[in-house]
Amino acid sequence: MRKPFIAGNWKLNKTADEAEEFIKSFLPLVQGVKDVEIGIAPQYLAIPALVAASRGSNVGIGSQDNYWEASGAFTGEVSAEMIKSAGCIYAIIGHSERRQFFGETNATVNQKLKAALAAGLHPIVCIGESLAERESGITEKVCEDHLRGGLAGLESAQMQTITIAYEPVWAIGTGKTATPEQAQEVHAFCRNLLEDMFSAEVAAATRIQYGGSVKPDNVKDLMAQTDIDGALVGGASLKPDSFAALVNFNK
Ligand code: 13P
């Protein structure tokens, strides 16, 4: 019932030209894939090229962030409306790198999320614990804080277009994937929490992606877990072959 959703987070990689080159090789590799939703979030300046090159395809484009104000004196920011008007479908919000390096908090995630929803973007809200937090046994508490804080004040109906991405910080870019069982445990916890926060219907319908060193050789075991509905992929989304292998995990 939850359609698998594989999305690439390109972070600070690829010029617009490189993005265009990627998409030309990538589209034929995933042509005809209907049972998996596919997204790519490049840096802002590559969005127009990717939107143009992917028009009419089964690949949707997204941003890696958005500001909460629509316009005004906010030097350096890009609003959700601007992202939507550039042709984006998705917006990643609250990635751990933004929390770590750019002062993102649950409160700013919440503001950005509300702005993204108001603009009609489909948000991917990132949550997850650091290594120190896992080692001190507070993984669930951190995820609960991220979910309760990030999704505060939302109505059940607003959850329809939201995807949650569980990304344990210690697994990002380290080659250290959470085992499928470790990931499943947290995903199940998050789904139960969504039931408590919203309803059983919302909990059953909301997609929860796993992120952190997802590669073609571990994606199948992760996707086989009951509560893992997709992946948010960094490194392995940068090459057409490996990203296509992830999208085609069930082939
Ligand atoms: P890696 O796949 O490179 O570990 O990155 C995961 C991530 O942060 C996706 O948002």
Side-chain angles (χ1 to χ4, degrees), residues 9 11 95 167 171-173 212-213 232-235:
N9 171 13
K11 309 189 180 185
H95 191 278
E167 301 203 302
I172 295 178
S213 298
L232 185 56
V233 186

Side-chain angles (χ1 to χ4, degrees), residues 105-220:
T105 62
N106 292 333
T108 60
V109 169
N110 187 245
Q111 282 180 284
K112 290 179 174 189
L113 175 58
K114 286 174 178 163
L117 287 170
L121 291 165
H122 295 192
I124 300 174
V125 179
C126 302
I127 65 164
E129 81 287 0
S130 67
L131 183 59
E133 288 164 342
R134 174 160 284 260
E135 285 175 346
S136 20
I138 57 167
T139 294
E140 291 185 351
K141 185 193 175 306
V142 171
C143 291
E144 177 162 2
D145 284 351
H146 285 174
L147 282 176
R148 287 199 188 274
L151 305 180
L154 260 56
E155 307 287 338
S156 290
Q158 291 179 290
M159 288 300 293
Q160 276 173 17
T161 61
I162 296 180
T163 298
I164 305 297
Y166 168 59
E167 301 203 302
V169 179
W170 49 273
I172 295 178
T174 57
K176 245 190 188 176
T177 332
T179 64
E181 295 72 26
Q182 277 176 322
Q184 165 59 26
E185 201 180 340
V186 181
H187 281 233
F189 170 81
C190 292
R191 200 174 300 288
N192 284 334
L193 189 64
L194 290 175
E195 178 166 353
D196 185 56
M197 291 170 64
F198 298 99
S199 67
E201 291 71 35
V202 167
T206 303
R207 290 181 299 187
I208 307 178
Q209 294 174 320
Y210 168 78
S213 298
V214 177
K215 309 282 178 220
D217 63 1
N218 61 23
V219 66
K220 221 181 165 96

